[in-house]
Amino acid sequence: MRYKLGKDKRTRTEKLSKEASDVNLILIGPAVVKNRSKKRYQFKDCRHYQDIGIKEVRENRFRCQTCLNLKLKKEAEEQNLILLGEGKNPQYRTYQFKDCKHINELTTGNVRKGGKHIGCAICRQEKLESEASSAGVKILGPGTNVHYRNYLIEECGHSVNLKTQSVRDNTFKCPICKDEQFINEAKSVGLTLIGEASADLDVSIKRSNYRLYKIDECGHEQNLKLSHVRDGNFNCD
């Protein structure tokens, strides 16, 4: 026995069919995954099928996910990647690097750009750890920005924020040890190190070569050159 659609249901179906046709879709029927707010549609252009929200169709806010995935897969292959699946949000996907076999989450936009915009985070971390070991330091965690890491300097035991490039080139010095040296040099000539040079220091002078000191005998504060303090060659102005 064949059942006829009720008038209200038939009218609704006709309305949904027209809304679908207006945005280049064909209404097929109920969604594959039961959801009353969605229907099953076919794209007229690519012929792919997809469950789409009725509201999204009405507002023309949808795209063919099959076509999108095919596009993302092609873009991944062009960058020597394998697209594995979804990421932490719609801007990300999970990829595998063909060379190292590591799995990373990357933004689809960066994969599309390629080159310097993508790189294996696991390989990068392994490289940084190897460079740290060669320089006698150990990575403790993130630094103040992407170019820095928090390191433990094995020789002195201090935990400091260093630029990864300076660790790579082994051109860093422990800033804490350096400050301790400056403090001791100041004490030996009757000074107390207060801190960085004050803002009124002549801008033509390299500020990093100066510190602000208190002269213990008179209590006055003065910017002095580090080398002058080391040699005891200074006067209160």
Side-chain angles (χ1 to χ4, degrees), residues 144-158:
T144 50
N145 63 45
V146 294
H147 302 296
Y148 286 77
R149 295 294 186 276
N150 188 26
Y151 293 92
L152 173 69
I153 300 178
E154 294 174 350
E155 185 178 359
C156 62
H158 291 138

Side-chain angles (χ1 to χ4, degrees), residues 173-183 185 211 226:
K173 291 183 179 180
C174 176
I176 296 174
C177 287
K178 188 186 293 184
D179 284 347
E180 287 178 351
Q181 176 192 340
F182 296 157
I183 290 169
E185 288 173 349
R211 292 293 187 276
L226 291 165

Side-chain angles (χ1 to χ4, degrees), residues 109-232:
N110 280 345
V111 171
R112 189 168 299 123
K113 293 173 186 174
K116 67 179 182 180
H117 299 284
I118 59 172
C120 176
I122 297 170
C123 286
R124 188 184 304 120
Q125 181 64 19
E126 289 176 351
K127 180 174 182 286
L128 290 174
E129 288 175 356
S130 175
E131 291 168 350
S133 178
S134 298
V137 297
K138 182 179 179 181
I139 296 177
L140 299 179
T144 50
N145 63 45
V146 294
H147 302 296
Y148 286 77
R149 295 294 186 276
N150 188 26
Y151 293 92
L152 173 69
I153 300 178
E154 294 174 350
E155 185 178 359
C156 62
H158 291 138
S159 172
V160 295
N161 188 58
L162 297 173
K163 200 169 186 177
T164 56
Q165 185 65 49
S166 70
V167 172
R168 183 172 300 123
D169 299 336
N170 202 358
T171 56
F172 66 90
K173 291 183 179 180
C174 176
I176 296 174
C177 287
K178 188 186 293 184
D179 284 347
E180 287 178 351
Q181 176 192 340
F182 296 157
I183 290 169
N184 291 332
E185 288 173 349
K187 282 181 179 178
S188 69
V189 291
L191 300 173
T192 299
L193 176 63
I194 296 174
E196 298 296 322
S198 58
D200 60 354
L201 184 67
D202 188 336
V203 292
S204 66
I205 295 174
K206 190 175 180 182
R207 189 176 297 276
S208 61
N209 289 337
Y210 285 74
R211 292 293 187 276
L212 179 63
Y213 296 89
K214 183 180 77 171
I215 300 173
D216 294 338
E217 186 177 355
C218 60
H220 295 143
E221 294 181 3
Q222 192 169 320
N223 291 309
L224 297 172
K225 196 170 185 178
L226 291 165
S227 61
H228 291 170
V229 172
R230 188 170 299 123
D231 297 336

Side-chain angles (χ1 to χ4, degrees), residues 19-26 42-46 62:
E19 290 174 347
S21 182
D22 288 344
V23 290
N24 220 25
L25 295 174
I26 300 170
Q42 183 182 30
F43 289 83
K44 290 182 180 179
D45 290 337
C46 62
F62 60 88

